Amino acid sequence: MPDLAERLSDARILMVDDEAANLELLERILVPAGYTRLRTTTSPDQVPALCATFDPDLILLDLLMPGTDGFEVLERLRADGDGRYLPVLILTSDHSQEAKRRGLSAGAQDFLTKPLSPSEVRLRVRNLLETRFLHLALQDHNRLLEDRVRRRTEALERARLEILERLARAAEYRDDRTGAHTRRVGESAAAIARALGLPPEEVETIRRVAPLHDVGKIGIPDAILLSPGRLTAPEFEVMKSHTDIGGDLLSGSDSALLQCAESIARSHHEHWDGRGYPRGLSGKAIPLEGRIVAVADTFDALSHSRPYKPAWSVDESLDAIRAGAGSHFDPEVVDAFVSVMARHGAVPVAG
Protein backbone atom coordinates (compact mmCIF):
# COMPACT_ATOMS: atom_id res chain seq x y z
CA MET A 1 0.00 0.00 0.00
CA PRO A 2 1.43 3.47 -0.88
CA ASP A 3 2.47 5.68 2.02
CA LEU A 4 0.76 8.97 2.82
CA ALA A 5 3.27 11.12 0.90
CA GLU A 6 2.71 9.08 -2.26
CA ARG A 7 -1.04 9.25 -1.88
CA LEU A 8 -0.94 13.02 -1.38
CA SER A 9 1.14 13.54 -4.52
CA ASP A 10 -1.32 11.37 -6.44
CA ALA A 11 -4.43 13.05 -5.02
CA ARG A 12 -7.19 14.02 -7.45
CA ILE A 13 -8.59 17.49 -6.77
CA LEU A 14 -11.70 18.91 -8.47
CA MET A 15 -12.01 22.71 -8.44
CA VAL A 16 -15.34 24.43 -9.15
CA ASP A 17 -15.66 28.21 -9.70
CA ASP A 18 -17.57 30.24 -12.30
CA GLU A 19 -14.54 32.56 -12.68
CA ALA A 20 -11.76 30.99 -14.76
CA ALA A 21 -9.24 33.41 -13.19
CA ASN A 22 -9.96 31.96 -9.76
CA LEU A 23 -9.32 28.45 -11.06
CA GLU A 24 -6.01 29.56 -12.61
CA LEU A 25 -5.01 31.04 -9.24
CA LEU A 26 -5.76 27.76 -7.48
CA GLU A 27 -3.64 25.88 -10.00
CA ARG A 28 -0.73 28.27 -9.39
CA ILE A 29 -1.10 27.65 -5.64
CA LEU A 30 -1.39 23.85 -5.78
CA VAL A 31 0.88 22.69 -8.60
CA PRO A 32 4.11 23.92 -6.91
CA ALA A 33 3.02 21.98 -3.79
CA GLY A 34 3.09 18.76 -5.82
CA TYR A 35 -0.61 18.44 -6.70
CA THR A 36 -0.71 17.72 -10.42
CA ARG A 37 -3.90 15.72 -10.82
CA LEU A 38 -6.23 18.71 -10.99
CA ARG A 39 -9.54 19.07 -12.80
CA THR A 40 -11.38 22.38 -13.13
CA THR A 41 -14.85 23.43 -14.23
CA THR A 42 -16.72 26.71 -14.41
CA SER A 43 -20.02 24.81 -14.69
CA PRO A 44 -21.33 23.57 -11.31
CA ASP A 45 -23.87 21.38 -13.12
CA GLN A 46 -20.95 19.22 -14.32
CA VAL A 47 -19.86 18.28 -10.78
CA PRO A 48 -21.88 15.03 -10.44
CA ALA A 49 -20.61 13.75 -13.80
CA LEU A 50 -17.02 14.73 -12.97
CA CYS A 51 -17.28 12.97 -9.62
CA ALA A 52 -18.30 9.81 -11.46
CA THR A 53 -15.50 9.95 -14.05
CA PHE A 54 -12.66 11.76 -12.26
CA ASP A 55 -13.37 10.29 -8.79
CA PRO A 56 -11.87 13.20 -6.83
CA ASP A 57 -10.31 12.94 -3.39
CA LEU A 58 -11.17 16.55 -2.62
CA ILE A 59 -13.46 19.25 -4.05
CA LEU A 60 -12.70 22.96 -3.85
CA LEU A 61 -16.05 24.70 -4.28
CA ASP A 62 -17.11 28.29 -4.74
CA LEU A 63 -20.46 29.23 -3.21
CA LEU A 64 -21.63 32.29 -5.13
CA MET A 65 -22.18 31.17 -8.73
CA PRO A 66 -24.97 32.07 -11.17
CA GLY A 67 -27.58 29.40 -11.81
CA THR A 68 -26.60 26.43 -9.68
CA ASP A 69 -24.76 27.77 -6.63
CA GLY A 70 -22.42 25.97 -4.27
CA PHE A 71 -25.18 25.12 -1.81
CA GLU A 72 -27.09 23.24 -4.51
CA VAL A 73 -23.91 21.40 -5.50
CA LEU A 74 -23.45 20.30 -1.88
CA GLU A 75 -27.03 19.05 -1.75
CA ARG A 76 -26.51 17.02 -4.95
CA LEU A 77 -23.28 15.56 -3.61
CA ARG A 78 -25.00 14.54 -0.40
CA ALA A 79 -27.93 13.00 -2.31
CA ASP A 80 -25.60 11.08 -4.64
CA GLY A 81 -23.23 9.99 -1.89
CA ASP A 82 -22.34 6.28 -1.68
CA GLY A 83 -21.11 6.30 1.89
CA ARG A 84 -17.55 7.32 0.98
CA TYR A 85 -15.85 10.24 2.73
CA LEU A 86 -15.40 12.96 0.07
CA PRO A 87 -14.26 16.22 1.69
CA VAL A 88 -15.33 19.60 0.32
CA LEU A 89 -13.43 22.84 0.97
CA ILE A 90 -15.56 25.94 0.36
CA LEU A 91 -13.76 28.98 -1.09
CA THR A 92 -16.00 32.06 -1.16
CA SER A 93 -16.10 35.83 -0.96
CA ASP A 94 -19.17 35.59 1.28
CA HIS A 95 -17.85 36.36 4.78
CA SER A 96 -21.17 35.98 6.56
CA GLN A 97 -21.66 33.51 9.41
CA GLU A 98 -24.89 32.37 7.75
CA ALA A 99 -23.02 31.29 4.60
CA LYS A 100 -20.50 29.41 6.71
CA ARG A 101 -23.24 27.75 8.74
CA ARG A 102 -25.21 26.74 5.64
CA GLY A 103 -22.14 25.39 3.88
CA LEU A 104 -20.93 23.28 6.78
CA SER A 105 -24.47 22.07 7.50
CA ALA A 106 -24.84 21.00 3.86
CA GLY A 107 -21.80 18.73 4.09
CA ALA A 108 -18.68 20.82 3.53
CA GLN A 109 -15.74 19.99 5.80
CA ASP A 110 -13.88 23.32 5.79
CA PHE A 111 -14.36 26.97 4.82
CA LEU A 112 -12.02 29.67 3.49
CA THR A 113 -12.92 33.23 2.50
CA LYS A 114 -11.45 35.21 -0.37
CA PRO A 115 -8.99 36.73 -0.95
CA LEU A 116 -7.14 33.46 -0.46
CA SER A 117 -3.87 32.98 1.33
CA PRO A 118 -1.80 30.47 -0.71
CA SER A 119 -0.17 28.98 2.37
CA GLU A 120 -3.53 28.57 4.10
CA VAL A 121 -5.06 26.95 1.00
CA ARG A 122 -2.20 24.46 0.83
CA LEU A 123 -2.47 23.73 4.56
CA ARG A 124 -6.25 23.16 4.46
CA VAL A 125 -5.96 21.02 1.32
CA ARG A 126 -3.28 18.83 2.90
CA ASN A 127 -5.26 18.42 6.14
CA LEU A 128 -8.41 17.41 4.29
CA LEU A 129 -6.56 14.99 2.03
CA GLU A 130 -4.81 13.39 4.99
CA THR A 131 -8.18 12.91 6.65
CA ARG A 132 -9.56 11.45 3.42
CA PHE A 133 -6.74 8.92 3.05
CA LEU A 134 -6.81 7.94 6.72
CA HIS A 135 -10.53 7.33 6.33
CA LEU A 136 -9.95 5.16 3.25
CA ALA A 137 -7.19 3.24 5.05
CA LEU A 138 -9.56 2.60 7.94
CA GLN A 139 -12.22 1.35 5.51
CA ASP A 140 -9.68 -1.00 3.90
CA HIS A 141 -8.62 -2.24 7.32
CA ASN A 142 -12.23 -2.84 8.35
CA ARG A 143 -12.90 -4.75 5.13
CA LEU A 144 -9.83 -6.88 5.79
CA LEU A 145 -11.02 -7.62 9.32
CA GLU A 146 -14.52 -8.42 8.07
CA ASP A 147 -13.07 -10.77 5.47
CA ARG A 148 -10.98 -12.54 8.11
CA VAL A 149 -13.99 -12.88 10.41
CA ARG A 150 -16.09 -14.20 7.51
CA ARG A 151 -13.47 -16.78 6.54
CA ARG A 152 -13.00 -17.90 10.13
CA THR A 153 -16.76 -18.10 10.64
CA GLU A 154 -17.09 -20.21 7.51
CA ALA A 155 -14.28 -22.48 8.72
CA LEU A 156 -15.97 -22.88 12.10
CA GLU A 157 -19.29 -23.64 10.40
CA ARG A 158 -17.63 -26.28 8.22
CA ALA A 159 -15.99 -27.80 11.28
CA ARG A 160 -19.28 -27.82 13.18
CA LEU A 161 -21.12 -29.50 10.33
CA GLU A 162 -18.33 -32.06 9.95
CA ILE A 163 -18.58 -32.85 13.66
CA LEU A 164 -22.32 -33.40 13.28
CA GLU A 165 -21.72 -35.73 10.32
CA ARG A 166 -19.09 -37.70 12.21
CA LEU A 167 -21.34 -37.94 15.26
CA ALA A 168 -24.11 -39.33 13.05
CA ARG A 169 -21.69 -41.88 11.59
CA ALA A 170 -20.56 -42.86 15.08
CA ALA A 171 -24.16 -43.60 16.03
CA GLU A 172 -24.53 -45.97 13.07
CA TYR A 173 -21.01 -47.44 13.17
CA ARG A 174 -21.94 -50.71 14.87
CA ASP A 175 -24.75 -51.68 12.50
CA ASP A 176 -23.88 -49.61 9.39
CA ARG A 177 -20.20 -48.77 9.10
CA THR A 178 -20.68 -46.96 5.81
CA GLY A 179 -22.93 -44.29 7.35
CA ALA A 180 -25.10 -44.62 4.24
CA HIS A 181 -28.34 -44.91 6.22
CA THR A 182 -27.86 -41.60 8.00
CA ARG A 183 -27.00 -39.78 4.78
CA ARG A 184 -30.01 -41.23 2.97
CA VAL A 185 -32.34 -40.27 5.81
CA GLY A 186 -30.95 -36.71 5.72
CA GLU A 187 -31.51 -36.35 1.98
CA SER A 188 -34.94 -37.98 2.11
CA ALA A 189 -36.04 -35.78 5.02
CA ALA A 190 -34.86 -32.67 3.15
CA ALA A 191 -36.78 -33.73 0.03
CA ILE A 192 -39.95 -34.19 2.09
CA ALA A 193 -39.48 -30.84 3.82
CA ARG A 194 -39.01 -29.16 0.45
CA ALA A 195 -42.16 -30.83 -0.92
CA LEU A 196 -44.06 -29.53 2.11
CA GLY A 197 -43.03 -25.99 1.18
CA LEU A 198 -40.72 -25.30 4.12
CA PRO A 199 -38.32 -22.35 3.69
CA PRO A 200 -34.91 -23.27 2.22
CA GLU A 201 -33.08 -22.58 5.48
CA GLU A 202 -35.35 -24.99 7.36
CA VAL A 203 -34.94 -27.61 4.64
CA GLU A 204 -31.16 -27.31 4.96
CA THR A 205 -31.31 -27.54 8.75
CA ILE A 206 -33.33 -30.75 8.54
CA ARG A 207 -30.95 -32.17 5.94
CA ARG A 208 -27.99 -31.47 8.21
CA VAL A 209 -29.42 -32.83 11.46
CA ALA A 210 -31.77 -35.64 10.41
CA PRO A 211 -28.76 -38.03 10.25
CA LEU A 212 -28.48 -37.61 14.03
CA HIS A 213 -31.92 -39.12 14.63
CA ASP A 214 -30.48 -42.35 16.09
CA VAL A 215 -27.45 -40.90 17.87
CA GLY A 216 -28.84 -42.35 21.11
CA LYS A 217 -28.02 -45.85 19.83
CA ILE A 218 -24.56 -45.17 21.19
CA GLY A 219 -26.02 -46.10 24.58
CA ILE A 220 -27.72 -49.36 23.46
CA PRO A 221 -25.84 -52.64 24.15
CA ASP A 222 -24.68 -54.64 21.12
CA ALA A 223 -26.68 -57.67 22.22
CA ILE A 224 -29.87 -55.68 21.70
CA LEU A 225 -28.83 -53.35 18.88
CA LEU A 226 -27.42 -56.14 16.71
CA SER A 227 -29.89 -58.86 17.70
CA PRO A 228 -30.89 -60.85 14.57
CA GLY A 229 -34.20 -61.91 16.07
CA ARG A 230 -37.29 -60.26 17.49
CA LEU A 231 -36.60 -58.32 20.68
CA THR A 232 -38.20 -59.35 23.93
CA ALA A 233 -40.41 -56.83 25.71
CA PRO A 234 -37.63 -55.85 28.17
CA GLU A 235 -35.13 -55.60 25.32
CA PHE A 236 -37.50 -53.40 23.35
CA GLU A 237 -37.84 -51.08 26.35
CA VAL A 238 -34.07 -50.71 26.35
CA MET A 239 -34.08 -50.07 22.60
CA LYS A 240 -36.76 -47.39 22.96
CA SER A 241 -34.53 -45.51 25.37
CA HIS A 242 -32.28 -44.44 22.47
CA THR A 243 -34.69 -41.58 21.76
CA ASP A 244 -34.17 -40.00 25.16
CA ILE A 245 -30.47 -40.85 25.21
CA GLY A 246 -30.07 -39.03 21.89
CA GLY A 247 -32.20 -36.11 23.02
CA ASP A 248 -30.18 -35.77 26.23
CA LEU A 249 -26.88 -35.88 24.28
CA LEU A 250 -28.05 -33.04 22.05
CA SER A 251 -29.91 -30.95 24.63
CA GLY A 252 -29.00 -27.62 26.16
CA SER A 253 -27.53 -25.95 23.07
CA ASP A 254 -28.22 -22.42 21.85
CA SER A 255 -27.63 -23.64 18.28
CA ALA A 256 -30.75 -23.87 16.12
CA LEU A 257 -29.16 -26.88 14.41
CA LEU A 258 -28.73 -28.82 17.63
CA GLN A 259 -32.14 -27.79 18.94
CA CYS A 260 -33.69 -29.25 15.79
CA ALA A 261 -31.49 -32.35 16.12
CA GLU A 262 -32.66 -32.84 19.72
CA SER A 263 -36.29 -32.54 18.66
CA ILE A 264 -35.82 -35.15 15.93
CA ALA A 265 -33.94 -37.55 18.20
CA ARG A 266 -36.76 -37.46 20.77
CA SER A 267 -39.76 -37.48 18.42
CA HIS A 268 -39.00 -39.56 15.32
CA HIS A 269 -40.61 -42.67 16.88
CA GLU A 270 -43.80 -40.89 17.92
CA HIS A 271 -46.91 -42.02 16.00
CA TRP A 272 -49.63 -39.86 14.51
CA ASP A 273 -52.24 -41.85 16.49
CA GLY A 274 -50.37 -41.45 19.80
CA ARG A 275 -49.12 -45.03 20.07
CA GLY A 276 -45.47 -44.26 19.57
CA TYR A 277 -42.69 -43.49 22.06
CA PRO A 278 -41.18 -42.06 24.20
CA ARG A 279 -43.94 -39.52 25.10
CA GLY A 280 -46.98 -40.94 23.32
CA LEU A 281 -47.50 -37.67 21.46
CA SER A 282 -50.10 -37.56 18.71
CA GLY A 283 -51.02 -35.50 15.66
CA LYS A 284 -49.47 -32.07 15.37
CA ALA A 285 -48.24 -32.22 18.95
CA ILE A 286 -45.37 -34.16 17.37
CA PRO A 287 -42.80 -31.68 15.99
CA LEU A 288 -42.98 -31.46 12.21
CA GLU A 289 -39.31 -32.34 11.85
CA GLY A 290 -39.93 -35.52 13.86
CA ARG A 291 -42.90 -36.44 11.65
CA ILE A 292 -40.79 -35.93 8.55
CA VAL A 293 -37.88 -38.04 9.77
CA ALA A 294 -40.28 -40.80 10.92
CA VAL A 295 -41.28 -41.36 7.29
CA ALA A 296 -37.73 -41.00 5.90
CA ASP A 297 -36.23 -43.33 8.52
CA THR A 298 -38.90 -46.01 8.23
CA PHE A 299 -38.76 -46.10 4.43
CA ASP A 300 -34.98 -46.43 4.46
CA ALA A 301 -35.05 -49.14 7.14
CA LEU A 302 -37.63 -51.12 5.15
CA SER A 303 -35.93 -50.77 1.78
CA HIS A 304 -32.45 -51.73 3.01
CA SER A 305 -31.21 -54.83 4.79
CA ARG A 306 -30.68 -54.69 8.54
CA PRO A 307 -29.14 -57.22 10.95
CA TYR A 308 -32.63 -58.53 11.73
CA LYS A 309 -34.27 -58.41 8.25
CA PRO A 310 -33.64 -58.50 4.49
CA ALA A 311 -34.39 -55.49 2.31
CA TRP A 312 -37.89 -54.94 0.96
CA SER A 313 -38.45 -53.69 -2.56
CA VAL A 314 -39.08 -49.99 -3.12
CA ASP A 315 -42.72 -50.70 -4.01
CA GLU A 316 -43.25 -52.84 -0.91
CA SER A 317 -41.65 -50.21 1.29
CA LEU A 318 -43.70 -47.42 -0.27
CA ASP A 319 -46.91 -49.43 0.19
CA ALA A 320 -46.05 -49.83 3.88
CA ILE A 321 -45.58 -46.06 4.23
CA ARG A 322 -48.93 -45.42 2.55
CA ALA A 323 -50.62 -47.98 4.80
CA GLY A 324 -49.27 -46.18 7.88
CA ALA A 325 -50.72 -42.79 6.91
CA GLY A 326 -53.11 -41.62 9.62
CA SER A 327 -51.89 -44.15 12.19
CA HIS A 328 -48.10 -44.29 12.25
CA PHE A 329 -47.43 -41.26 10.03
CA ASP A 330 -48.74 -37.76 9.37
CA PRO A 331 -50.87 -38.12 6.20
CA GLU A 332 -49.58 -34.82 4.76
CA VAL A 333 -45.99 -35.93 5.24
CA VAL A 334 -46.78 -39.25 3.55
CA ASP A 335 -48.38 -37.42 0.62
CA ALA A 336 -45.28 -35.23 0.29
CA PHE A 337 -43.01 -38.29 0.34
CA VAL A 338 -45.13 -40.11 -2.24
CA SER A 339 -44.97 -37.04 -4.50
CA VAL A 340 -41.16 -36.98 -4.15
CA MET A 341 -40.95 -40.67 -5.08
CA ALA A 342 -43.33 -40.17 -8.00
CA ARG A 343 -41.15 -37.39 -9.42
CA HIS A 344 -37.79 -39.03 -8.85
CA GLY A 345 -38.49 -42.76 -8.57
CA ALA A 346 -36.12 -42.77 -5.57
CA VAL A 347 -34.97 -40.51 -2.79
CA PRO A 348 -33.05 -37.62 -4.48
CA VAL A 349 -29.48 -37.42 -3.22
CA ALA A 350 -27.57 -34.16 -3.40
CA GLY A 351 -24.55 -34.32 -5.67
Side-chain angles (χ1 to χ4, degrees):
M1 179 182 292
D3 62 22
L4 183 58
E6 290 178 292
R7 299 195 75 167
L8 285 171
S9 65
D10 200 43
R12 296 179 298 275
I13 301 175
L14 174 61
M15 300 179 291
V16 186
D17 196 304
D18 62 306
E19 295 287 342
N22 291 336
L23 296 174
E24 292 173 6
L25 173 62
L26 288 171
E27 288 182 324
R28 290 199 299 272
I29 291 173
L30 294 176
V31 170
Y35 301 110
T36 58
R37 302 187 67 182
L38 307 177
R39 186 69 60 87
T40 63
T41 181
T42 56
S43 174
D45 289 329
Q46 295 298 313
V47 171
L50 287 169
C51 284
T53 57
F54 183 56
D55 192 21
D57 295 302
L58 172 64
I59 297 176
L60 307 186
L61 178 66
D62 185 25
L63 280 185
L64 303 179
M65 295 180 285
T68 302
D69 63 17
F71 297 113
E72 292 177 81
V73 172
L74 286 170
E75 290 296 331
R76 291 182 187 178
L77 289 173
R78 184 160 61 181
D80 296 340
D82 56 4
R84 297 181 307 152
Y85 175 74
L86 175 58
V88 177
L89 171 60
I90 288 176
L91 308 175
T92 182
S93 57
D94 187 341
H95 293 239
S96 69
Q97 287 297 313
E98 176 61 16
K100 185 174 184 178
R101 184 196 66 77
R102 282 187 64 194
L104 295 176
S105 298
Q109 278 66 45
D110 207 345
F111 197 98
L112 281 176
T113 54
K114 300 173 182 178
L116 300 173
S117 162
S119 60
E120 190 169 11
V121 169
R122 288 190 287 265
L123 179 63
R124 300 292 181 94
V125 165
R126 181 183 177 88
N127 286 345
L128 288 173
L129 286 173
E130 285 182 354
T131 304
R132 155 83 168 173
F133 293 134
L134 288 173
H135 183 85
L136 293 177
L138 180 60
Q139 283 186 326
D140 290 341
H141 182 66
N142 287 341
R143 279 194 292 269
L144 178 62
L145 291 178
E146 289 170 2
D147 184 61
R148 287 178 179 173
V149 169
R150 178 186 56 78
R151 285 187 280 113
R152 289 177 182 176
T153 301
E154 289 174 353
L156 287 172
E157 181 65 12
R158 287 194 300 270
R160 181 173 64 163
L161 294 175
E162 182 178 350
I163 289 170
L164 292 179
E165 291 170 3
R166 291 178 181 272
L167 181 58
R169 288 178 60 187
E172 292 289 319
Y173 187 73
R174 286 179 293 160
D175 60 346
D176 178 14
R177 295 194 177 191
T178 67
H181 169 69
T182 60
R183 288 196 299 273
R184 289 192 302 264
V185 170
E187 297 298 342
S188 180
I192 296 170
R194 195 176 299 111
L196 287 168
L198 270 63
E201 60 273 16
E202 292 184 28
V203 171
E204 181 63 12
T205 294
I206 289 173
R207 185 178 76 82
R208 292 290 188 181
V209 302
L212 292 167
H213 63 285
D214 276 340
V215 69
K217 286 183 177 179
I218 288 173
I220 304 302
D222 283 353
I224 295 175
L225 183 65
L226 304 180
S227 174
R230 189 177 185 86
L231 297 178
T232 66
E235 288 173 334
F236 187 53
E237 289 302 314
V238 174
M239 177 60 81
K240 290 196 297 185
S241 70
H242 82 275
T243 54
D244 278 332
I245 293 172
D248 291 345
L249 283 171
L250 298 166
S251 66
S253 175
D254 292 331
S255 163
L257 277 172
L258 289 180
Q259 289 171 0
C260 184
E262 177 191 356
S263 173
I264 288 171
R266 293 194 192 276
S267 64
H268 71 286
H269 281 295
E270 300 286 2
H271 290 186
W272 185 253
D273 62 7
R275 296 182 180 182
Y277 63 88
R279 301 289 182 268
L281 302 177
S282 64
K284 293 192 176 180
I286 306 168
L288 177 57
E289 57 269 21
R291 287 178 264 148
I292 289 172
V293 172
V295 171
D297 181 38
T298 302
F299 177 81
D300 195 78
L302 292 174
S303 59
H304 293 82
S305 60
R306 309 293 280 180
Y308 49 84
K309 60 168 279 299
W312 292 12
S313 70
V314 169
D315 287 341
E316 290 172 329
S317 302
L318 194 53
D319 285 344
I321 296 296
R322 287 195 187 98
S327 56
H328 190 157
F329 308 116
D330 178 346
E332 290 183 12
V333 174
V334 171
D335 288 343
F337 180 66
V338 170
S339 72
V340 169
M341 295 296 290
R343 285 197 304 273
H344 300 281
V347 175
V349 178

